[in-house]
Amino acid sequence: MIPAIRAAYNQQFTAARYEAFLNGLAQDAADIPAFRVAETPVFVPRALTTKLVQACEEIVNVILRPDFKTITQDAIPPALKVAHENEHPHFIIIDFAVCYNEQGELVPQLIELQGFPTMFAFQDVMARQFREHFNIPEGVSNFFNNFNSASYFEFLQELIVGPYAPEEVVLLEVNPEAQKTRVDFYSTEKYIGIKTICITDLLQDGKKLYYTRKGRQIPIKRIYNRVIFDDLEKQQARLSGHVNLFQELEVEWITHPNWFYRISKYTLPFIHSEYVPKSWFLHQLPVIPADLENYVLKPLFSFAGQGVKIDVTPADIDVIDDPQNWILQHKVHYAPAIETPNGPAKCEIRMMYAWPDNSPRPILVHNLARISKGKMIGVSFNDKQDWVGGSCCFFEQ
């Protein structure tokens, strides 16, 4: 999207460099990513960066509303509420489509947001490998707020591990070895120093949790949570017995599971910004729009695009028997703004926030990008093409 940098990158690109880049990723992360990694980063011009940051801060202002917990009290399914919710999430991710406005300028349009971690460790690995294997200009950066790779991981370690020994903090997931994001778990272990464990490996004694390492039981003081609890419920039949995480337990959560629901698609109707498409809870929709082709229908309780209907018909709405669990959102049109050797691609940019307990606001730290040439953006929808997939951004300084 920065024409001069894009042209230079495309000219220098070779299949051999890309292969070396992928090998570098695998070596650093000790695994081959289970999703397609794009051949290119996204180069974001300063004007779009300014709009992205403005949009994010407007969204953060909504999350900082004194009544935010009140207006999102129905966001958490009653059966999925976890005890000891804290005052704010430690991680927030905000996803934007890159679009054109009526003046032909690049603008962000909000797609989704989550009070949940993303690939905070692996995204820095990716950015460093792009710099290692391609000529990325010094005038662009993958970081915000003056972070560099060293200070970024120091910051993350302080946030995730805090006052505890690293062995007393675990990254918790369901069947972590089977997850497409497992490469981030390995990078987290490497750079943060905590162990990844499956929920089925938790041990309980009273209100305390433990796991076994080298023949000894180690107390768990904090959980860096990567479990999506409604997904956990769907997998119960395939899991062996495990600790009930909904009971009273003496453990801290980074981020507490309830924030996954509070800051989610449920939040969209409360946000008013030129960079946020209008959204309604389906049961509060005053009238079904005549131009449904300009809207998308999204279930509140889904992740990674599951269940989203992008070509909505009245019949799709008629068959929904729980409209309180759906939103209708004005459709956005992604800009084919990334020139590739075999045609333009579009992209989505994820802005990644971390929120220490001693900070009055969440802090923008890093990013993630998804590049696509199809209708759907997620990397799993683009595995048959090239110059698409997971990536990162370099923002013009």
Side-chain angles (χ1 to χ4, degrees):
M1 290 184 282
I2 303 175
I5 299 178
R6 167 54 53 205
Y9 184 92
N10 288 7
Q11 186 174 20
Q12 68 169 296
F13 181 86
T14 65
R17 277 187 162 186
Y18 177 57
E19 189 67 25
F21 160 73
L22 293 178
N23 290 337
L25 285 180
Q27 182 176 0
D28 194 314
D31 189 30
I32 298 171
F35 52 87
R36 193 179 198 286
V37 178
E39 285 84 343
T40 180
V42 177
F43 300 107
V44 183
R46 187 177 297 109
L48 178 56
T49 301
T50 300
K51 294 182 177 74
L52 281 162
V53 174
Q54 177 186 336
C56 285
E57 292 302 306
E58 290 173 354
I59 293 165
V60 166
N61 287 341
V62 174
I63 297 170
L64 287 170
R65 282 175 50 167
D67 64 344
F68 185 75
K69 282 198 173 185
T70 300
I71 64 175
T72 59
Q73 63 185 353
D74 295 329
I76 311 166
L80 299 179
K81 287 185 178 179
V82 176
H84 304 303
E85 181 182 322
N86 64 335
E87 289 306 307
H88 64 73
H90 294 93
F91 295 99
I92 301 171
I93 54 177
I94 310 177
D95 293 343
F96 294 95
V98 175
C99 306
Y100 289 126
N101 63 12
E102 293 180 354
Q103 291 73 44
E105 302 166 329
L106 292 171
V107 295
Q109 289 291 298
L110 180 66
I111 298 298
E112 195 166 339
L113 66 165
Q114 292 288 347
F116 194 74
T118 188
M119 297 197 295
F120 277 84
F122 180 69
Q123 284 306 110
D124 182 64
V125 173
M126 180 185 290
R128 282 189 279 111
Q129 290 299 323
F130 269 123
R131 285 199 180 275
E132 177 76 19
H133 296 283
F134 296 94
N135 298 323
I136 307 297
E138 290 301 319
V140 295
S141 176
N142 49 299
F143 291 109
F144 295 92
N145 287 304
N146 298 314
F147 281 101
N148 57 39
S149 190
S151 63
Y152 175 68
F153 279 115
E154 288 173 5
F155 173 80
L156 286 181
Q157 185 171 53
E158 175 60 29
L159 177 58
I160 295 170
V161 179
Y164 303 111
E167 69 173 7
E168 295 176 325
V169 182
V170 298
L171 187 160
L172 188 67
E173 177 57 289
V174 180
N175 294 327
E177 299 296 326
Q179 300 298 327
K180 285 195 171 183
T181 53
R182 62 182 179 267
V183 68
D184 181 65
F185 307 160
Y186 305 146
S187 295
T188 302
E189 291 184 358
K190 178 177 180 178
Y191 291 102
I192 306 299
I194 63 175
K195 182 175 175 59
T196 300
I197 69 169
C198 179
I199 186 173
T200 58
D201 293 328
L202 291 174
L203 305 173
Q204 182 178 357
D205 182 7
K207 294 184 179 181
K208 298 183 183 297
L209 295 179
Y210 300 83
Y211 69 100
T212 300
R213 186 176 188 181
K214 296 181 179 178
R216 63 189 182 98
Q217 287 192 358
I218 299 173
I220 299 173
K221 302 295 180 64
R222 273 186 179 176
I223 293 174
Y224 178 38
N225 183 50
R226 304 297 284 267
V227 177
I228 299 173
F229 277 67
D230 55 323
D231 190 48
L232 172 62
E233 292 295 289
K234 295 171 187 174
Q235 298 187 57
Q236 288 297 340
R238 299 191 298 273
L239 290 174
S240 58
H242 61 81
V243 169
N244 173 14
L245 293 174
F246 298 103
Q247 62 185 304
E248 290 276 337
L249 295 168
E250 294 179 2
V251 69
E252 296 177 13
W253 295 90
I254 307 287
T255 280
H256 191 283
N258 291 356
W259 288 105
F260 176 83
Y261 302 101
R262 289 191 184 277
I263 300 176
S264 65
K265 289 184 284 290
Y266 192 94
T267 319
L268 294 177
F270 300 106
I271 305 171
H272 305 288
S273 165
E274 65 179 303
Y275 304 121
V276 179
K278 183 65 178 174
S279 302
W280 296 265
F281 294 111
L282 195 56
H283 71 295
Q284 295 179 355
L285 187 67
V287 63
I288 295 177
D291 59 337
L292 272 178
E293 68 274 9
N294 292 321
Y295 294 83
V296 293
L297 192 60
K298 297 181 175 181
L300 289 178
F301 306 114
S302 71
F303 196 64
Q306 297 174 357
V308 173
K309 298 182 183 297
I310 59 174
D311 295 312
V312 187
T313 68
D316 292 324
I317 295 176
D318 290 342
V319 299
I320 292 175
D321 57 10
D322 58 341
Q324 72 279 7
N325 292 328
W326 292 76
I327 62 165
L328 190 71
Q329 182 180 25
H330 203 273
K331 186 180 291 185
V332 303
H333 299 282
Y334 290 76
I338 300 175
E339 293 297 331
T340 80
N342 53 6
K346 52 195 179 184
C347 79
E348 199 166 276
I349 296 175
R350 171 170 291 180
M351 305 288 269
M352 296 160 50
Y353 277 81
W355 195 347
D357 287 330
N358 61 359
S359 175
R361 295 178 70 90
I363 301 167
L364 182 58
V365 293
H366 214 285
N367 77 90
L368 180 152
R370 301 187 188 97
I371 302 174
S372 173
K373 294 179 180 176
K375 272 190 174 184
M376 299 291 281
I377 291 290
V379 293
S380 61
F381 300 107
N382 288 271
D383 56 356
K384 304 299 183 185
Q385 303 183 67
D386 57 9
W387 288 73
V388 299
S391 187
C392 70
C393 297
F394 289 99
F395 297 87
E396 187 176 24
Q397 302 299 290

